Every structure is written in structure tokens, then in C-alpha cells.
Amino acid sequence: MSVVLSSIRWYLDVIREAQLADYGPVRGTMVIRPYGYALWERLQSWLDAALKEHGVQNAYFPQLIPMSFFEREAEHVEGFAPELAIVTRGGGKELEEPLALRPTSETIINSMFAKWVQSHRDLPMRLNQWANVHRWEMRTRPFVRTLEFMWQEGHTAHATPEEARAEAMAMLEVYREFAVTQAAMPVIAGRKSRIEQFAGANATFTIEAMMRDGRALQAGTTHDLGDNFSRAFGTQFSDAGGRLRHAHQASFGMSTRMVGGVVMSHGDDTGLRLPPRMAPLQADVGTEKSPGWKFSHWEMKGVPLRIEIGPRDVASGTCAIARRDRPGKEGKEFGVPLAPELLVQEVLKRLDEVQAELLERATRFRDEHILDVSSHSQFLEVIEQGKWARGWWAGSDEQEVALKEESGATLRCFPLEQPGGGGTCFLTGKPADQVALFAKAY
Amino acid sequence: MSVVLSSIRWYLDVIREAQLADYGPVRGTMVIRPYGYALWERLQSWLDAALKEHGVQNAYFPQLIPMSFFEREAEHVEGFAPELAIVTRGGGKELEEPLALRPTSETIINSMFAKWVQSHRDLPMRLNQWANVHRWEMRTRPFVRTLEFMWQEGHTAHATPEEARAEAMAMLEVYREFAVTQAAMPVIAGRKSRIEQFAGANATFTIEAMMRDGRALQAGTTHDLGDNFSRAFGTQFSDAGGRLRHAHQASFGMSTRMVGGVVMSHGDDTGLRLPPRMAPLQADVGTEKSPGWKFSHWEMKGVPLRIEIGPRDVASGTCAIARRDRPGKEGKEFGVPLAPELLVQEVLKRLDEVQAELLERATRFRDEHILDVSSHSQFLEVIEQGKWARGWWAGSDEQEVALKEESGATLRCFPLEQPGGGGTCFLTGKPADQVALFAKAY
């Protein structure tokens, strides 16, 4: 791993030079510039279609949430209260009740579900919104963690606990598919520990991505909320027998953080490397005699292919195609026919190759940087190297917290893909029935 | 005009029954439900493509704006200060400077333009964002006027005053085209008076739509901002000769208010009537033996066509198509072939007919409800009847305000299409070189 890549400086340079984002005037806020927003639009259009395919409908809920709503669910208020931005004045007057800018919308959506969900025939109810949210974070970084960010948040209501759980799992698979097939990010899907799960959820599921500096990025989460919010807000339906029951719910979100994930998954010393399916611009045609500046500009912006047409090429009816993901001679092919239909074919073929190879490389990188550990000292060593530690785990919540304080690494997830059988907890030596992944994270 | 149609009750009933929106927990906020949001998505996809076609790029600017930004442009702060929602606490602490939730983004965007616009080669710069905004309104109504609404706001910077003016006019034409061709709303494009223009603009242009109760709805606006904001924020570029100049700017917005406009332009006593190009669902197939409930449900939701298939129809290989815009026998055609390719052809043909006829009817309605006036008493009479008054106008700002206070009607616009020549101001008797439109408005 290059020193350049592992530095914050590299990331901030790329964000600035590729014009992905700029800093807003308020500390911790960012402006998403057109090139960065185009990446977000790629995510939006794929994910919006996938959610609709799954039966999720778009809606929009107010951003202003009465503070009292948060207080109805004990864990939720505890989790979010320190991060809230609060409106206390409106129309020139002090408000009677302060209003929070949504950090997430479980509470306000349940205040509406409580009206809309009356009968089992109203279920399942699957809604989604594309919206901005605010969390008053202290340490911020463009895309990765900002006071305000854009996301989609899905919220569903079901008749049974099993359906709510299945929804959370199905949405996790949608996120995994997006990350792998579009963003070329070989994420690991798993369940969060109790310590790390969403405030108010019964279980949280995650896709965890490995950045080129070895850190983990939580790239999307889904939650089995059980009936925690429906009890807090009185969301009840009459079942087929006429009995009143609480709805069981799921929620799920993916955000502009994913744009930062793409940057840090694929970038190199020259700048961005974009997977063709995410790239705002997929190929760059250069015809100048001295194309140095232009080429390096588009290389830095991560455009997957460069088509070079020189005067001699025109005479011979050919051009050269250079791949951004393979710098130098290795990635350059001469003598590609210039005839439009043939050229398009060649370009499409190479875009597929680039897409596949970025995923392959990231997968290889990931697998090389996950090490199995069977003792506390091995664990510390692996984390110290900036890698991920995988080991059998049967520690308590307190031991998990202590390990985090000692090493700086958090329990990223219990991967859904488990080795099977059982083993011995690397920390406590107790019998364990699943392995966990630990890493330092963004 | 039916009594039912002219009442607020009718509108609120339709919004509720067709499940377009619901009330949020905070006064004046609304929840946009899936059926209403689908109308907004139709607008979004058409308009987003049209803006991109024009060279506008999407971006995203922070919602939180330092209060001091507003104070830099004297008219702007005067216009918006009474409507601001203000964040005073974040992360558990009082903020040093209060932050406004954007009511519009001219100020924050200029704080960024001042960094980005350096050379004449950076111009024109055309950005747009799809975002929520807050205005602390006292009298609210779903879609038409809410504390929070969704919109797109475009912001551009140009080298000359002429280009900024041309941009405002070009975007007005985009809005007009959307309203007429998609929403079947025969809007009138024009310029606002000084009294009614945007706070901080040199000139504001508008498309004004007539609702079925005779009231006017401002359905989209574009602004020639001159160099007012670029002077306030120091947005300067060096021209070809190396001289520093202030940028000239335009901005333009269309909002979820347009959804309310569609409802109030076409609805009838039975509920919604949606233009096919805006309708989330374009046809409804009924096969039940007792379809009464279902038919009236979809009629109320404004689905343009209903395809009825009875048992005898199946035997004869035919069906009936009923048009929502022509109730009763007149709009029903029997013996339409059931064979899929023929049926699709018939349905598409009728959807085009419905689209065209809704526009025609709305145009006829509009023209019947605009009356020319040549005296003060005629003016008052026309406004009293709930119609629009058109007349030569050479009144002062003070006379315009007095007329509003007397009649309840505002100067909606000086239409771009003028009769030409000159006339006599209906109020002052002075020579006037343009006609103005006056109406009571939402």
C-alpha cells in the first residue's frame, strides 16, 4: 500500500482536483459538484429502479420532527440526541416545541404509519424517500462523514416478525448487488454486533467495504426494527381474525458516503479510477498534437478509457485505446479500427473488461488484507498492520468495547458467510459459533 | 363553475381521498404519499432531461446557510427574513452564528460561484439542484403553500447582462413547454411587476395558470438577477482582456406546487382528472361483475382510461373503453378489439386524445375567464366575478398596491404576448404601452 494512498491528503486532493466536492461555508458541510453528483445519480437511478422492482414506492416525509418524537423510543433518543440539529425559531418567533432536522425518519414515518396501517390488507407497506439528513458530527470528511448528507431511506411495515426480518435481508442483498456489480466493490455482507447496531433496532445488517488504505467503510445498512417503533407510536393493524397487532418493521439506507467509497476503493497515485458503470464519462477522445495536459486531466478524473487518434492513425483508419486501470504500455492497444461500428464494439468490450478487472483486483486486495487470528496478540498485530482480523468470537459486549479501546478496531460484522461448525474465541478461549470481522473504520 | 369546485373543501377532499398527501405533525408541513409523489416524479424526469439538454448540470449545496449571508443583499434579506426557519442548536450546543434553512439558495451558491468563477472561460456556468426548501408561511395548503416544499432551483452565471436575461427567458420557455405539453395547463408567460418580483432580482418572469375556481397559480418563475448577488458576494471573472468583471446571473425554480396546479386545473366533481402524460396509472382494467366500487375509486384518482371487460365481451373478443374526461355514455366506446396489439393501439390513440382535449378545455375555460377592462369599475366587477382582468396599465407601484388592497387581486404579469401599439391605462387614464393581467391568486 503506497504511503500516498493511505493518507488523508491523497483523498482530499482527489476530491478537490477531480472536482467531486467542495467545502460548504458551515463547518462539516459540503457542496457536491457536478462530477461528484453524477456519480450519485448513477447510484440513484440503479437503486431507485431496484427498489421499485421490489415493490417499494417513493414518498416524502417532512424534515422537521418534533423533539418529543425521539423521546418515545428510549434507545433511539439515546443514540441520536447528541447529533441533532435543532430549529428553535420560525417566522420570526421562538417555537413552542423545538424541531429536529431529521437524522433519520423512523419516528415521523411511524407517526404516519400509525394512521395508514389499519388492517392486515394494508400490509406489507413499503415506502422510500430520497432526502437530505443532518447529523452533527465532530470529525468530518467529504462524502464519508458530513453534517448533512443525501440518502435514500426505506421504511416498511409487515404483519409478522419473520417478514420484517426477510425484508431487511432482501434489501441487504440489493445493496450488495449494487456494490459488487456497479461500483466494483467486493463488500462483505453481515450482521452488526449489539454494540454497533442502529439505535432502536433488533438487528442491523451491513455491507462492509475495504478501502485501499485498509480501513473499513460501512457502505449500506438495513435494520430489523421488530415492533419497537410500532409500539412507541401505536402502529397497529387488525389481523384476519379481527385482533389488533403491532406491525413489524424494517428500514434501510444507502447514502452519498458510497461516492467516497468508490474513490477510496479504486483510486491510485494518479487520481480516480472509476468503474465504467459508475463513470459520468466512459471514454475520452484525444486528438491534440500535444495531449499531455488533457490526458493527465482525464486520468486524474478516472475516465475508464482514452481513445487516441493521431494524424497517422487517421491515414491508416485506426486509433489507440488506453485503459485507465492499467497505466503505461500494458494497457494500451494500437491498431483499433476507427470505423464507428467496430470502434463502438471494441470500446464496449473494453469497458466490460475494465469493470470486471477493477472488481477482481479489489477482491484480491481484500482477500490479501483479511487475516485469520486465533489469539489476542495475533489480533493486535493484524490490526496494527492496517489489515482486517477475522476470528471466532464469543466475547461479551464489554469485551468488545474494551477491544475497540485497546486496538482502535471495531467489530465490523458477523459475515453472513460463515465457515460453519464452531471454534474457539480468539479473546476469551470460550467456544464460539461464529466468526467476526474486525477493522479500523471510517 | 360549480360550487363544489370553487371550495377549499373540494381540494382538500381530493388530496385526501386520492391519497396524494397527508398532513405532517408540524403545522403547515405535508407528507407526499406515493400517488402524489409519482406525479412529482413525472415532472422531475421531464424537467431534469430538459435542463440537461440545455447544458445545466446537477449539483447539491448545503441546506444550512449562515444568517449573515442573507444580510449581504439588502432586498433579499428584506424579502426572506420573515419566512426563515432557524437552527440555533447543534450537537447539544448553542451555535455561535444561527443558521437558516434555505428558503432559496442564491446566497450560498454565490459564496461558491465566487470561488469557482475566475475566468471568462468558466462561463457560462449552469447548475441546478433538486432540493427541499423551507418558508415559514402562515396560511398553508397541501402542495400549494407549505412550510417545506420540494423544488428544483437552477442558478447560472454569465459574462454579460444580455446572456443572463436570455437564460431567464429560455428557462421560462422550458417551464411553459412542460406546463402545456405535459400537464395540459395553458399557462400565460409574462413578466412580474416590480412589486411582485423576486427579492434581489432585476426582473422576474412567471408562468401563470388558471385554476378551475378562477384563481391564478404562479406555476414557475425565472429571474434575471443582474449582478446584484455577484456584487454582494464578489463573484468576478477576468475577461478576455484580463479585466475583472462581475458575473451576471439568472435563477429559476419549479416546485411541488405544480402538483396542486394539476389537481386544480383539471379536477371535476368526481375527483381528479389527470393528463395521461402526468398520470401514474394510465388505464385501469375492470373485469368484476359488480365493478361499481372499483370504478369510482379509479375515477376519483383520475386514471385517464378505463378498460371494461365483461363475460360477453370475452366471448365476442371485444371490450369497452371509457374516458375519464368525458363521463357517461359520451366517453364510452364499445366493441374495441381485445387482441393485444389492436387494443394497445386503441389505448394509445385515446390517451393522446384525452391529453389534447384536457388542454383544449382548459384553454377554452381560461379564455372565457379573462375579460378586457377599460375602467376601474369594470376591473372591480370582473375581479368580483372571480375572473381575470386584462387591461392597459401605466399605474405606479403605489397604485398597484392600493388596487390589490381594494380588490384582493394582484398584478399576475405583463404577458409576453402583447396586443402591440399602446392604449389608455384603465386606472389612471394615462397612455400605457403594455397590458397587464390581474387576478386573485393562491
Side-chain angles (χ1 to χ4, degrees):
Chain A
M1 214 175 322
S2 99
V3 177
V4 176
L5 271 179
S6 59
S7 74
I8 292 180
R9 179 54 48 205
W10 175 87
Y11 181 72
L12 297 181
D13 282 353
V14 168
I15 295 293
R16 188 188 61 248
E17 292 295 319
Q19 303 191 332
L20 293 169
D22 206 335
Y23 296 101
V26 175
R27 182 199 66 81
T29 64
M30 73 169 163
V31 178
I32 308 180
R33 301 187 71 175
Y35 200 66
Y37 201 83
L39 292 171
W40 176 238
E41 286 183 309
R42 288 288 171 127
L43 180 154
Q44 279 190 307
S45 66
W46 191 96
L47 197 52
D48 195 65
L51 295 180
K52 282 174 175 156
E53 177 76 16
H54 183 74
V56 180
Q57 294 184 298
N58 283 337
Y60 185 77
F61 294 83
Q63 182 182 21
L64 298 175
I65 304 180
M67 277 301 288
S68 57
F69 278 27
F70 288 91
E71 289 149 16
R72 293 201 203 169
E73 215 286 340
E75 287 184 41
H76 197 63
V77 67
E78 204 181 306
F80 282 105
E83 295 183 358
L84 295 177
I86 300 177
V87 175
T88 61
R89 299 215 306 265
K93 289 186 183 157
E94 294 293 314
L95 302 182
E96 287 181 18
E97 180 177 8
L99 304 172
L101 299 190
R102 64 179 158 233
T104 179
S105 300
E106 275 75 7
T107 59
I108 193 162
I109 286 182
N110 263 281
S111 78
M112 302 311 299
F113 273 13
K115 290 173 65 174
W116 298 338
V117 173
Q118 299 291 332
S119 150
H120 61 98
R121 283 182 298 270
D122 299 325
L123 302 176
M125 190 173 283
R126 293 185 169 100
L127 299 182
N128 177 63
Q129 72 176 355
W130 292 94
N132 59 337
V133 286
H134 285 79
R135 296 182 187 176
W136 211 266
E137 304 277 2
M138 282 303 120
R139 294 178 57 191
T140 60
R141 180 177 299 198
F143 292 111
V144 174
R145 179 167 280 115
T146 45
L147 288 204
E148 179 186 17
F149 58 91
M150 313 293 289
W151 76 350
Q152 61 67 220
E153 50 177 319
H155 297 268
T156 63
H158 307 268
T160 67
E162 293 75 21
E163 285 174 77
R165 173 61 63 104
E167 187 78 4
M169 302 308 291
M171 290 300 103
L172 189 70
E173 176 54 22
V174 169
Y175 289 161
R176 199 196 61 79
E177 189 187 342
F178 171 76
V180 173
T181 68
Q182 306 299 305
M185 290 165 63
V187 295
I188 293 174
R191 190 168 56 73
K192 287 284 183 192
S193 67
R194 277 187 302 274
I195 295 294
E196 299 286 337
Q197 78 191 15
F198 178 73
N202 283 356
T204 290
F205 302 92
T206 179
I207 51 171
E208 296 285 326
M210 185 185 286
M211 303 295 97
R212 299 269 295 173
D213 64 359
R215 285 187 186 255
L217 186 83
Q218 178 179 300
T221 51
T222 76
H223 314 289
D224 172 356
L225 303 172
D227 58 7
N228 301 334
F229 288 91
S230 71
R231 284 187 182 276
F233 285 84
T235 307
Q236 288 184 296
F237 65 96
S238 57
D239 66 15
R243 264 182 55 188
L244 274 185
R245 297 184 179 279
H246 283 102
H248 292 265
Q249 299 180 285
S251 66
F252 42 94
M254 188 175 262
S255 76
T256 38
R257 159 174 268 212
M258 194 68 181
V259 175
V262 170
V263 173
M264 291 192 288
S265 290
H266 303 299
D268 65 11
D269 289 358
T270 315
L272 274 181
R273 286 198 301 188
L274 293 176
R277 290 185 193 158
M278 294 292 289
L281 191 67
Q282 299 184 305
D284 162 35
V285 178
T287 52
E288 289 94 326
K289 287 181 184 173
S290 326
W293 174 83
K294 194 174 179 187
F295 284 178
S296 68
H297 176 74
W298 293 112
E299 263 176 32
M300 182 269 294
K301 289 199 131 186
V303 178
L305 295 183
R306 188 176 69 230
I307 302 170
E308 299 180 12
I309 309 177
R312 263 179 279 178
D313 291 323
V314 175
S316 65
T318 62
C319 63
I321 296 184
R323 281 171 57 166
R324 170 66 181 87
D325 65 317
R326 288 188 183 174
K329 284 183 186 170
E330 196 202 345
K332 200 155 171 178
E333 194 172 328
F334 296 92
V336 178
L338 257 181
E341 64 283 10
L342 292 175
L343 181 57
V344 165
Q345 230 170 49
E346 293 290 326
V347 165
L348 291 179
K349 190 183 107 190
R350 272 171 194 72
L351 288 173
D352 282 347
E353 285 171 10
V354 173
Q355 182 80 30
E357 208 164 303
L358 283 177
L359 178 61
E360 259 172 52
R361 276 188 220 179
T363 307
R364 214 157 47 229
F365 181 85
R366 179 197 72 184
D367 293 342
E368 285 164 8
H369 289 76
I370 299 178
L371 299 184
D372 287 311
V373 297
S374 55
S375 71
H376 187 186
S377 64
Q378 271 187 352
F379 171 89
L380 293 176
E381 203 177 306
V382 166
I383 296 301
E384 177 67 27
Q385 289 170 25
K387 296 183 175 174
W388 293 18
R390 178 175 47 207
W392 294 98
W393 178 253
S396 66
D397 292 353
E398 293 72 25
Q399 285 166 324
E400 184 185 329
V401 171
L403 204 59
K404 174 184 175 177
E405 280 168 11
E406 182 187 16
S407 66
T410 45
L411 198 166
R412 302 314 302 162
C413 70
F414 298 100
L416 296 187
E417 281 187 30
Q418 286 283 332
T424 305
C425 173
F426 72 82
L427 184 76
T428 62
K430 289 186 195 162
D433 58 5
Q434 52 186 344
V435 299
L437 268 181
F438 295 81
K440 289 184 180 171
Y442 280 106
Chain B
M1 214 175 324
S2 100
V3 177
V4 176
L5 270 180
S6 60
S7 74
I8 291 179
R9 179 54 49 206
W10 175 88
Y11 180 71
L12 298 180
D13 282 355
V14 168
I15 296 292
R16 188 187 60 248
E17 291 296 318
Q19 303 192 332
L20 293 170
D22 206 336
Y23 296 101
V26 174
R27 180 199 68 80
T29 64
M30 73 168 164
V31 178
I32 307 180
R33 302 188 70 175
Y35 200 67
Y37 201 83
L39 292 171
W40 176 238
E41 286 183 310
R42 288 288 171 126
L43 180 153
Q44 279 191 307
S45 65
W46 191 96
L47 197 51
D48 195 65
L51 294 181
K52 283 174 174 157
E53 177 77 17
H54 183 73
V56 180
Q57 294 184 298
N58 282 337
Y60 186 76
F61 294 83
Q63 182 182 22
L64 297 175
I65 303 181
M67 277 301 287
S68 57
F69 278 27
F70 288 90
E71 290 149 17
R72 294 202 202 169
E73 215 287 337
E75 287 184 42
H76 197 62
V77 67
E78 203 180 307
F80 281 106
E83 294 183 358
L84 296 177
I86 299 177
V87 174
T88 61
R89 297 215 308 265
K93 290 187 182 156
E94 294 294 316
L95 302 181
E96 287 180 18
E97 179 176 10
L99 304 172
L101 300 189
R102 62 177 160 236
T104 178
S105 300
E106 276 74 8
T107 59
I108 194 163
I109 286 181
N110 263 281
S111 77
M112 302 312 298
F113 274 13
K115 289 174 66 175
W116 299 337
V117 173
Q118 298 292 331
S119 151
H120 63 98
R121 282 181 298 270
D122 299 325
L123 302 177
M125 191 174 281
R126 292 185 169 101
L127 299 182
N128 176 63
Q129 71 176 357
W130 292 94
N132 59 337
V133 285
H134 285 79
R135 297 181 187 176
W136 212 266
E137 304 276 2
M138 283 303 120
R139 296 179 56 192
T140 60
R141 180 179 299 200
F143 293 110
V144 174
R145 180 168 278 115
T146 46
L147 287 204
E148 179 187 17
F149 58 91
M150 313 293 289
W151 75 350
Q152 61 67 220
E153 48 176 320
H155 298 268
T156 64
H158 307 269
T160 66
E162 293 75 21
E163 285 175 77
R165 173 61 64 102
E167 186 79 3
M169 301 307 292
M171 291 299 103
L172 188 71
E173 175 55 21
V174 169
Y175 289 161
R176 199 198 60 79
E177 188 186 343
F178 172 76
V180 173
T181 67
Q182 306 299 306
M185 289 164 64
V187 294
I188 292 174
R191 189 168 55 75
K192 287 285 183 191
S193 68
R194 277 187 302 273
I195 295 293
E196 299 285 337
Q197 78 191 13
F198 178 72
N202 282 358
T204 290
F205 302 92
T206 178
I207 52 171
E208 297 285 324
M210 185 185 286
M211 304 294 98
R212 299 270 294 172
D213 64 359
R215 284 189 185 254
L217 187 82
Q218 177 179 300
T221 50
T222 76
H223 314 289
D224 173 356
L225 302 172
D227 57 7
N228 301 334
F229 288 92
S230 70
R231 284 187 183 275
F233 286 84
T235 307
Q236 287 183 295
F237 66 96
S238 57
D239 66 15
R243 263 182 57 189
L244 274 185
R245 296 184 179 278
H246 283 103
H248 291 264
Q249 299 180 282
S251 66
F252 42 95
M254 187 175 263
S255 76
T256 38
R257 159 175 269 211
M258 194 68 181
V259 175
V262 169
V263 172
M264 292 191 288
S265 290
H266 303 299
D268 66 11
D269 289 359
T270 314
L272 273 181
R273 286 197 302 188
L274 293 177
R277 290 186 193 156
M278 294 293 289
L281 192 68
Q282 299 185 305
D284 161 34
V285 178
T287 52
E288 289 95 325
K289 287 182 183 171
S290 325
W293 173 83
K294 194 173 178 189
F295 284 177
S296 67
H297 175 73
W298 293 114
E299 263 175 32
M300 182 268 295
K301 289 198 131 187
V303 178
L305 295 183
R306 188 176 69 229
I307 303 169
E308 299 180 11
I309 310 176
R312 264 181 277 178
D313 290 322
V314 175
S316 65
T318 63
C319 64
I321 296 185
R323 281 171 56 164
R324 170 66 181 87
D325 64 319
R326 290 188 184 175
K329 283 184 188 169
E330 197 202 343
K332 199 157 172 176
E333 193 172 331
F334 295 92
V336 178
L338 256 182
E341 64 283 10
L342 292 175
L343 180 56
V344 165
Q345 228 169 50
E346 293 288 327
V347 165
L348 291 178
K349 190 183 107 191
R350 271 170 195 72
L351 288 173
D352 282 347
E353 286 170 10
V354 173
Q355 181 80 31
E357 208 164 303
L358 283 178
L359 177 61
E360 259 172 51
R361 275 189 221 180
T363 307
R364 214 157 46 231
F365 181 85
R366 180 197 71 182
D367 293 342
E368 285 164 7
H369 289 76
I370 299 179
L371 299 184
D372 287 311
V373 298
S374 53
S375 70
H376 187 187
S377 64
Q378 272 187 352
F379 171 88
L380 293 176
E381 203 176 306
V382 166
I383 296 300
E384 178 65 29
Q385 289 170 26
K387 296 183 176 174
W388 294 19
R390 179 176 46 207
W392 293 99
W393 178 252
S396 65
D397 291 354
E398 293 70 28
Q399 285 167 325
E400 183 185 328
V401 170
L403 203 59
K404 174 183 176 179
E405 279 168 11
E406 182 187 17
S407 66
T410 45
L411 197 167
R412 302 313 303 159
C413 69
F414 297 100
L416 297 188
E417 280 187 29
Q418 286 283 331
T424 304
C425 173
F426 71 84
L427 185 75
T428 62
K430 290 186 194 161
D433 58 5
Q434 52 186 346
V435 299
L437 269 180
F438 296 79
K440 289 184 179 170
Y442 280 107

